[in-house]
């Protein structure tokens, strides 16, 4: 099979769209932020990306049906404003080669839709898809921005996702509820409180040690 | 050489065949079940699949002759019923890329024979060939089912293989003897009993820990 | 994307140029030497090499802009003498395949400019880009030399870089200041002195143990 | 560059040649045997095989010149008898893919010269080039034999190499001196005697533990 297979469910006509990527990374900040934005703005899935660079794995739904792991593109139509494309997914590429190829493919698929890049992934920055979308995008003359949310990286970090989304939604001129993220943040707080009582708080890793993968 | 080489010994004409895959995995449940079914139904080998994704290894027979490690396709003709194709093998692909390519190739070879998929591998489920045959098959519009046998994963598990085959043979409408599997199960029981006396029973791994590879 | 992408900013006309390579390795001797030579001789960047064989990573500048990791070619024009091409970079290839492909590509890009090879990388020698430029160059009938600077490999080693450059600049017939390298060497000396007081001097690794990667 | 590059120095006309392969493996039995046979029979190098599947490494000769790591083909002309082709080398392929590709390439290069295979590598057997030359050769309808010399695998094993060569030379109908191998064997014996005095003899690994790579 080909290294990357992109499956279009629909070819939406988009108005000068902005691309927002949020894939799994440290603290899952970007993934949480992008998925929350998609849910709040009722994004519609229009394409799926499968790849040999992802694990050879299916996820099993509660009804017993399965889903081959992938990355998914969603669009959001906005009256009068620029439309959005939001990329979320189960995994990033497993190898350096896969990372380069997948980010390159995303950029080429998005070019078809006249996308301008705005990086909404906070847990992005240096290593991985987040960096490559910026870096390869620059080679192709695309304007892009990376929003990074501070995170300890010990747990999924809805607070950090919210902080990033507060900046991003202001820039985009949209308003969304943060209720879901705030509720997830409370759950995480309860878990970490219990852990602290039981075992003492783990030391934060020094910035030098944290080989960041976003 | 090519990444995957499929060698046909015979091109059987098959009547609306059902495909059953059982490759090595945790507890070897699927491999045991598929090999037992092939033996009981006197399956005939008609194709061999070699690949760079398998280990660079030959197996040495007792007569000193060798066999390059592979996966093998067998067919079973059934009067009045649908025919079967059974895939067994020495290994699954060693890398994610290999897993995707091999499962993809199996699906494409089977399409030639008008196969409908029924997954008889119980030790299947999530990661590996078992998942990919389901997941990629779905992309190609093929109907498939995965039967999973519960297993501790500590030993090869003929009991679990038998449990799966009891469901599968009912669905297929065939009757087979389970004598061989029951005899293997007794041997395993004797080995585990001795181990328990000697060292105490090992703790079962928690479901969360068990990153399943089938 | 292609495995290696070479981006030309300029196609300089070079007079019988000599190629000097200094990539990261043990003690970073070659990298230090080549970068110092480029700075002192005011080398002009004329090509960038990006690759899937490098880590999927961007570096963030102080102004917040990013740079996709790469290798960079610089030229130095010399009145009356032979011109120079200096290769420096953030990384060597991550895999054996990448090492071979990158060194092969460098040789083919340099052939276009009529380059004769002179290896200014002291931290070169056996394994990695340094060895391959020599070894593959020999296959293509190119004359090349490898200068190696002795180094403990515990720290970046500006003294060793200076020792190599003293030989190289004599051969090339250029004169440069070593002030920057001497100042870096002093800083390293101060750091190592403190470490010795604190923890005792680490034992030097035996030559046999040192699987050299330059 | 291509994955494998074969460089012919000469295209000898060979009379119904027999191919003998001896690459590095456990105890280096095959390598020792094949190199000894080449030296004794004054084999002439006629082709070199370079590859990305070998380490990115050059070897440095005492005169300071370098050699890119490779595998080398030598021929031996025999009056009245069948000629020989002997393959020796610095490395086997580093990956499963490399092992398959290199063995496949060797078989295809040898087919040009009408070679029949006789495996003189004792340290062969199961995993690696030795197994693949047999296994892939069988797929192509080539007759081949694998001679295996017993070895502890702790040290290079000239005694085992000699045992294998005594069988091989009888089959080939050649006579050679074993002086060099006997002298190497004595050196190894002296080293192991000293080690035993110093540290006690290491336990021999059980046959089950020895995942054999030849």
């Amino acid at each position: 099979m080909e290294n990357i297979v992109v499956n279009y469910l629909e070819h939406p006509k988009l108005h000068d769209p902005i691309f927002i990527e949020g894939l799994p990374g440290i603290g899952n900040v970007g993934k949480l932020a992008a998925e929350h934005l998609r849910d709040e703005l009722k994004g519609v899935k229009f394409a799926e990306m499968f790849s040999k660079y992802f694990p050879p794995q299916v996820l099993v739904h509660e009804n017993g049906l399965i889903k081959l792991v992938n990355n998914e593109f969603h669009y959001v139509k906005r009256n009068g404003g620029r439309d959005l494309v939001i990329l979320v997914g189960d995994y990033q590429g497993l190898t350096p080669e896969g990372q380069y190829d997948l980010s390159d493919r995303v950029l080429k698929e998005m070019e078809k839709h006249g996308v301008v890049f705005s990086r909404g992934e906070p847990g992005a920055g240096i290593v991985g898809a987040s960096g490559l979308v910026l870096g390869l995008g620059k080679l192709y003359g695309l304007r892009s921005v990376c929003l990074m949310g501070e995170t300890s990286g010990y747990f999924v970090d809805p607070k950090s996702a919210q902080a990033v989304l507060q900046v991003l939604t202001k820039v985009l001129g949209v308003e969304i509820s943060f209720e879901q993220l705030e509720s997830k943040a409370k759950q995480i707080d309860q878990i970490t409180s219990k852990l602290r009582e039981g075992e003492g708080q783990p030391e934060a890793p020094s910035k030098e040690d944290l080989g960041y993968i976003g």
Side-chain angles (χ1 to χ4, degrees), chain A:
Chain A
M1 68 177 275
E2 289 172 59
N3 292 328
I4 298 170
V5 175
V6 179
N7 217 11
Y8 275 84
L9 313 175
E10 189 184 343
H11 285 276
K13 293 212 169 176
L14 299 173
H15 170 241
D16 198 12
I18 295 170
F19 178 74
I20 294 158
E21 181 240 278
L23 292 172
I26 292 177
N28 264 357
V29 178
K31 184 176 155 77
L32 283 170
E35 286 180 354
H36 184 71
L37 194 68
R38 175 202 59 187
D39 293 344
E40 288 293 322
L41 299 180
K42 302 192 171 39
V44 179
K45 182 167 77 170
F46 70 100
E48 300 167 324
M49 184 166 71
F50 304 92
S51 175
K52 287 183 203 170
Y53 302 126
F54 297 141
Q57 188 181 353
V58 293
L59 307 176
V60 184
H61 297 300
E62 284 180 18
N63 61 5
L65 296 181
I66 56 89
K67 177 207 160 191
L68 185 58
V69 296
N70 68 6
N71 283 191
E72 301 184 340
F73 297 86
H74 300 77
Y75 68 85
V76 176
K77 289 277 199 185
R78 294 201 295 161
N79 288 332
R82 297 171 62 183
D83 295 333
L84 307 180
V85 173
I86 301 172
L87 179 70
V88 298
D90 304 306
Y91 285 98
Q92 294 199 21
L94 294 176
T95 60
E97 188 191 359
Q99 289 272 10
Y100 273 95
D101 260 358
L102 287 164
S103 291
D104 193 65
R105 181 65 176 264
V106 163
L107 290 171
K108 280 174 188 163
E109 292 296 328
M110 289 304 94
E111 267 182 343
K112 294 184 202 170
H113 295 85
V115 157
V116 164
F117 285 81
S118 164
R119 289 299 320 291
E121 177 170 354
I126 311 297
V127 177
S130 322
L132 287 185
V133 167
L134 290 174
L136 292 173
K138 190 179 165 194
L139 284 186
Y140 300 148
L142 294 165
R143 291 169 50 209
S144 55
V145 168
C146 178
L147 303 182
M148 295 208 283
E150 202 176 343
T151 180
S152 75
Y154 282 122
F155 298 95
V156 293
D157 195 337
K159 269 188 198 161
S160 181
Q162 184 173 344
V164 169
L165 279 177
Q166 278 164 342
V167 175
L168 180 60
T169 52
K170 193 176 284 177
V171 174
L172 295 175
V174 295
E175 277 185 34
I176 61 172
S177 155
F178 293 110
E179 215 173 307
Q180 295 295 328
L181 285 178
E182 282 162 358
S183 143
K184 279 184 196 169
K186 271 184 203 154
Q187 289 171 34
I188 299 289
D189 278 348
Q190 284 165 1
I191 294 167
T192 52
S193 299
K194 280 186 194 160
L195 286 174
R196 257 179 231 134
E197 287 164 24
E199 311 174 20
Q201 188 178 7
E203 265 181 63
S206 75
K207 276 190 185 169
E208 285 74 23
D209 289 351
L210 198 66
Y212 189 75
I213 301 175

